[in-house]
Amino acid sequence: MTKPLYALGVQELNAAYASRELSPVEVTRAVNERIAACEPQLRATWLFRPEAALELARASEARWRAGTPRGTLDGVPVTIKENLATEGDPMPLGTAAYELVPVTYDSPPAARLKADGTVMVAKTTMPDLGMLSSGLSSFHDLSRNPWDTSRTPGGSSAGAGAAAAAGYGPLHVGTDIGGSLRLPASWCGIFTLKPSFGRIPLSSPYMGRCAGPMTRTVADAALMMASVAQPDDRDYSELPPPVIDWNAFEVDPSFLKGKRVALHMDAGCGLPLDPQIAQAVRDAAKRIEAAGAHVEEIPAFMTPQMLQGMDHFWRMRSCLDMQAMSAEQRAKILPYIREWAESAAGFSGAHVFDGYSQFVATRAATVAATKAYDFVISPVSPNMPAPAGHASPTNDPMRPLEHIGFTVPYNMSEQPAASVNCGYSTEGLPIGLQVAGRRFDDLGVLQFSRAFEQIRDAQKLWPEPI
């Protein structure tokens, strides 16, 4: 193998295990060593347990030797975001406010990955209550971006984004309610798919919330989807069992020919678009058009009122959560989060109802603006990654969501949306292209992204944050 063992993808590992060229134990040991080497800089993991991972790898090795692997993912290293329950492990949700009480069940994504024989090497970090686009936490050490450790990896899937970019194995699971998969994917230069709402069941479903794969390639994400996009009756919002051949992600650039593609460059709210991001996305659009797609620019469909309404509703939700805590617990939450949530204490019922109504307005506007197109391409974020210690790009709790105008619409409309790297800034930082599809067309978004992988510029080498 010319690549380091920790950098091998699922298909490469599966072939090497089948031929006995490699063992899951060798690969897990390499991933453990990679994590140990990078963690002093990145702080992307929690519950990193090398020996427990090796025990899982030995069990996988025995299955491969007996000719009874559980499938494509058997023996493949994986990390799981801290807010996705794993039996026997505490789930602090990124904050020091909660007691470390082991949970008694596996979340659906964790249960599926365990059943398929993956090797869980660690949980990954998140900010307090998952409410920041950064790796800042009152419980975890500050997570950093492998491309530039002075920058944030994004969030709330902070550790997962950093882990994927740094080579902590091929598979990582994160979650997203307004951009928490796609923002760190963009800022860390990896691939992610926020699937259609309900595609990956959750044990605690919530409006707009999705789990999804965070990987270096579309291929690895598609193969993870084959595992985690399976029914689980704990999720009242789950979609019917999918009749999807996830292996059909593999297409060539001719897939783009004739596709109707909207180019969305104005979020209609939030921070101004960084010129370097605008240029990278427009260059990507030109490549997609040259491959035979019909590309048409569309106007903004989000408004500041929509963004503010969602923000204020989420503030009230968190305010009520904090009011249920003791004063001692509340004091342990990041001051930024406390100030943000407590600002809702004086909101009237009418104000909160108007905030809730903006979720519906956002959904209606997103569907209306995109229904004439097969796919929509846009920036993921209007800004490059902020300093690592900032809670959000503005670092202002009264303007906390100014960077999610491109991502949050697809959480509310329940449409699948991906981030795939499309270029780099003059400082060498990655820039993500968002690819959104029609609701339920998760496979189409993977196929579009795979076609784009083949026509984009050559990618920089992955970072070495050691």
Side-chain angles (χ1 to χ4, degrees), residues 67 113 119 123 146 150 167 210 229 258 260 274 373 392 439:
L113 290 166
V119 175
K123 301 296 287 283
S150 73
C210 300
R260 294 167 295 172
D274 184 296
Y373 302 94
S392 69
R439 192 179 179 210

Side-chain angles (χ1 to χ4, degrees), residues 67-305:
T68 58
R70 295 178 181 174
T72 305
L73 300 188
D74 202 333
V76 175
V78 64
T79 73
I80 298 176
K81 188 177 176 181
E82 185 251 290
N83 65 339
L84 292 168
T86 48
E87 184 179 3
D89 297 326
M91 195 165 64
L93 301 180
T95 179
Y98 293 131
E99 293 183 14
L100 297 181
V101 179
V103 299
T104 58
Y105 62 95
D106 283 319
S107 60
R112 292 297 310 182
L113 290 166
K114 285 184 178 182
D116 287 340
T118 61
V119 175
M120 189 178 83
V121 294
K123 301 296 287 283
T124 51
T125 58
M126 60 184 285
D128 279 54
L129 307 175
M131 292 308 300
L132 301 177
S133 291
S134 78
L136 186 64
S137 165
S138 62
F139 178 76
H140 301 297
D141 291 333
L142 177 63
S143 301
R144 297 177 180 273
N145 192 317
W147 292 89
D148 178 350
T149 55
S150 73
R151 306 284 191 119
T152 183
S156 63
S157 303
Y168 292 11
L171 300 180
H172 310 271
V173 191
T175 62
D176 188 316
I177 198 171
S180 290
L181 287 164
R182 288 157 289 161
L183 292 162
S186 175
W187 293 337
C188 292
I190 63 168
F191 178 78
T192 194
L193 173 69
K194 181 209 74 68
S196 298
F197 182 71
R199 178 68 73 204
I200 298 177
L202 297 170
S203 47
S204 300
Y206 188 84
M207 178 175 57
R209 184 169 180 250
C210 300
M214 302 183 77
T215 61
R216 287 183 169 187
T217 65
V218 173
D220 284 349
L223 295 171
M224 182 187 276
M225 288 297 294
S227 173
V228 296
Q230 297 295 329
D232 191 303
D233 60 13
R234 288 177 287 175
D235 188 340
Y236 58 77
S237 66
E238 68 173 343
L239 296 179
V243 185
I244 297 174
D245 177 7
W246 296 104
N247 288 310
F249 77 88
E250 187 59 76
V251 296
D252 61 39
S254 66
F255 173 84
L256 300 171
K257 190 173 183 179
K259 296 294 189 293
R260 294 167 295 172
V261 178
L263 174 62
H264 180 210
M265 297 298 294
D266 180 2
C269 56
L271 294 170
L273 182 60
D274 184 296
Q276 292 193 77
I277 296 174
Q279 188 61 55
V281 171
R282 288 194 180 279
D283 288 347
K286 289 176 183 176
R287 289 177 179 268
I288 291 164
E289 189 169 40
H294 303 295
V295 179
E296 177 181 319
E297 190 159 351
I298 60 172
F301 52 85
M302 281 282 288
T303 67
Q305 182 183 6

Side-chain angles (χ1 to χ4, degrees), residues 97-98 129 315-331 333 341-342:
Y98 293 131
L129 307 175
R315 291 187 199 204
M316 179 55 79
R317 183 191 69 173
S318 295
C319 181
L320 294 173
D321 288 343
M322 289 185 197
Q323 287 176 356
M325 296 178 179
S326 68
E328 183 181 7
Q329 283 180 300
R330 284 195 298 274
I333 292 174
E342 290 169 358

Side-chain angles (χ1 to χ4, degrees), residues 20 60-69:
R20 300 197 179 183
S60 174
E61 180 182 64
R63 291 191 293 272
W64 279 103
R65 286 179 175 173
T68 58

